[in-house]
Amino acid sequence: MAAPSPGPHEVLTPSPEAGHRAATSSSGRRGLLWRLRHKQSRLGLFEIGPGHELHQLTCMMQAGLWAATQVSMDHPPTGLPTEEDFSEVLTQVHEGFELGTLAGPAFARLRRSLGLAEEDYQAALGPGGPYLQFLSTSKSEASFFLSHDQRFFLKTLRRREVRALLAHLPRYVQHLQRHPHSLLARLLGVHSLRVARGKKKYFIIMQSVFYPTSRISERYDIKGCEVSRWVEPAPEGSPLVLVLKDLNFQGKTINLGPQRSWLLRQMELDTAFLRELNVLDYSLLMAFQRLHEDEQGPSSGLIFRTARSMRGVQSLEEPEAQNRRLLPDTPNALHILDGPEQRYFLGLVDLATVYGLRKRLEHLWKTLRYPGRTFSTVSPTRYARRLCQWVEAHTE
């Protein structure tokens, strides 16, 4: 299924002052500026302030996103969704760079359905505060940023991954309408960035699964396999932010109590959807936060949580088929599940890898390279089943 590609339209856009400063001296360094992986082997979060090699780049991203969001604020989509909402390409020309917004009206509608105000989105991603660089334990060549408030996550993608996401976008939106409490990461925007006359680079924006971050104690990226699924933990007391993997989770259990049946069912629904898209290599992100004593058990917020759980786009599905649940009265409630003693942050991310010829060949090579061991590159059917089995085996 190929992504639609209508003729783009281009506008000359005045940028915020931060974007102007970023663009004026950028052309000679554009190859360096998109070198998003830090040369040192440190892991964690780093503020991208003046003097950081990515400061000019992120200033351009902030200026471009501020202007792109202003368009959706000035011209919000109205009426029923159309095919053009998913295929529109808007290119805004700034001083020294261009920022493209792909399927802008579709993502504006999606943000609105999540109750996310465009003003808040613009303030978090615009020039108001420096981005944070997140140095991942992932083996992919993608690079990662967080907004200054850590609410939004930005990730670079290859062009073929962007094409897959856009091709699947109408069905993704439909799935979220049918299952408003889905574990799928909430995609909020897809953009391209071209510095001077350089090559276009692509990035996505999504709601961070690990938010709010203040009391999170452990983070994991789970794929349900063993090859390359170990991360050397940080020394005790270290301030580094590490996302651990499957083998680090051995011997641990997710204690959800009555919420377990909801999670198992939602995993089935979401992985079945990804299997239909022929997608694999996605991850279940998890984080732990111990609940304070006054946060445990039923609370006076139950009625409010019930009201919150009924928000979202109207669907013709019965509530039972939608697999709704009571949402906690907290920010980022769609990715939070409370057990008897722990709060769990859960979300399915990395939804852009299609099981095509490249991955089929990789599967054959890994079968020979790792006989008798489990690895990530398997058919979408097997991948979905295996991840669901992992969740069932590690929850109670």
Side-chain angles (χ1 to χ4, degrees):
M1 180 177 178
S5 55
H9 56 283
E10 187 174 284
V11 295
L12 181 64
T13 308
S15 302
E17 187 62 25
H20 281 182
R21 291 197 304 269
T24 53
S25 61
S26 65
S27 59
R29 298 182 59 199
R30 61 179 179 267
L32 173 65
L33 290 178
W34 199 267
R35 201 170 297 154
L36 297 177
R37 298 191 67 82
H38 201 282
K39 296 176 182 178
Q40 302 182 29
S41 58
R42 297 176 301 170
L43 296 169
L45 291 175
F46 300 89
E47 186 175 288
I48 305 176
H52 192 292
E53 68 172 342
L54 300 176
H55 181 245
Q56 292 182 347
L57 172 69
T58 55
C59 282
M60 286 187 278
M61 294 171 71
Q62 290 179 316
L65 291 173
W66 186 93
T69 309
Q70 191 65 42
V71 171
S72 64
M73 292 167 62
D74 293 340
H75 307 284
T78 58
L80 296 174
T82 66
E83 290 185 9
E84 288 72 21
D85 290 346
F86 294 93
S87 58
E88 179 180 291
V89 179
L90 172 66
T91 301
Q92 293 174 290
V93 181
H94 299 258
E95 185 179 340
F97 72 97
E98 299 174 0
L99 188 112
T101 299
L102 289 71
F107 282 112
R109 290 179 187 276
L110 181 54
R111 294 192 295 268
R112 186 167 61 198
S113 76
L114 296 171
L116 175 57
E118 294 290 78
E119 293 82 0
D120 293 342
Y121 186 68
Q122 184 185 56
L125 293 167
Y131 285 171
L132 303 175
Q133 185 184 20
F134 178 74
L135 298 178
S136 172
T137 54
S138 168
K139 287 196 170 186
S140 81
E141 295 181 0
S143 294
F144 310 86
F145 300 113
L146 285 167
S147 59
H148 63 87
D149 58 1
Q150 301 189 44
R151 185 178 178 186
F152 302 114
F153 192 81
L154 301 89
K155 178 183 178 181
T156 62
L157 289 186
R158 298 183 180 92
R159 183 180 178 184
R160 66 172 179 270
E161 293 172 320
V162 169
R163 289 173 61 89
L165 275 182
L166 294 177
H168 297 152
L169 184 58
R171 295 176 67 182
Y172 167 83
V173 171
Q174 187 179 56
H175 180 78
L176 295 184
Q177 290 173 348
R178 289 176 175 172
H179 305 289
H181 299 163
S182 167
L183 292 166
L184 298 183
R186 289 337 190 242
L187 298 175
L188 305 175
V190 176
H191 298 274
S192 65
L193 178 67
R194 187 202 302 270
V195 180
R197 296 186 179 181
K199 184 178 179 181
K200 277 187 183 179
K201 305 295 181 178
Y202 295 88
F203 64 95
I204 62 170
I205 304 168
M206 67 182 193
Q207 214 161 267
S208 176
V209 175
F210 299 153
Y211 177 83
T213 63
S214 58
R215 288 163 50 197
I216 290 178
S217 58
E218 299 175 63
R219 297 167 173 82
Y220 293 89
D221 176 312
I222 301 297
K223 290 183 181 290
C225 59
E226 58 181 322
V227 172
S228 300
R229 302 304 296 166
W230 167 263
V231 172
E232 193 63 36
E236 188 172 351
S238 170
L240 297 183
V241 177
L242 286 181
V243 179
L244 305 176
K245 298 185 180 181
D246 301 63
L247 296 181
N248 299 95
F249 199 80
Q250 287 183 343
K252 299 178 184 289
T253 303
I254 305 167
N255 183 8
L256 291 171
Q259 300 268 36
R260 180 176 184 264
S261 59
W262 177 87
L263 176 62
L264 297 181
R265 176 58 179 155
Q266 195 58 53
M267 284 293 299
E268 291 176 357
L269 292 168
D270 288 333
T271 59
F273 168 69
L274 295 173
R275 183 185 67 231
E276 292 170 3
L277 297 183
N278 203 33
V279 166
L280 74 158
D281 215 19
Y282 44 91
S283 295
L284 175 64
L285 290 187
M286 299 191 310
F288 299 168
Q289 172 189 308
R290 180 161 291 278
L291 292 172
H292 292 153
E293 188 173 341
D294 61 353
E295 296 173 320
Q296 299 176 16
S299 69
S300 58
L302 185 60
I303 295 176
F304 181 67
R305 291 202 298 267
T306 303
R308 285 277 305 273
S309 74
M310 299 305 291
R311 292 182 59 189
V313 179
Q314 294 295 317
S315 171
L316 299 178
E317 302 283 340
E318 293 295 325
E320 293 79 10
Q322 290 182 311
N323 197 41
R324 290 180 182 265
R325 64 181 173 96
L326 299 180
L327 297 178
D329 180 16
T330 182
N332 202 28
L334 290 170
H335 287 303
I336 290 176
L337 201 59
D338 284 349
E341 298 180 353
Q342 294 261 21
R343 169 163 290 172
Y344 299 97
F345 297 75
L346 299 161
L348 290 165
V349 300
D350 298 338
L351 313 178
T353 302
V354 175
Y355 194 54
L357 178 60
R358 182 191 302 265
K359 286 296 176 181
R360 292 174 189 272
L361 293 175
E362 184 179 331
H363 169 74
L364 292 175
W365 180 82
K366 288 186 175 180
T367 300
L368 298 174
R369 177 70 177 82
Y370 304 109
R373 302 180 65 191
T374 57
F375 46 84
S376 62
T377 312
V378 295
S379 72
T381 297
R382 184 177 175 189
Y383 195 97
R385 180 174 64 248
R386 190 173 64 187
L387 189 56
C388 286
Q389 289 172 344
W390 189 97
V391 173
E392 186 171 9
H394 291 83
T395 53
E396 59 182 26

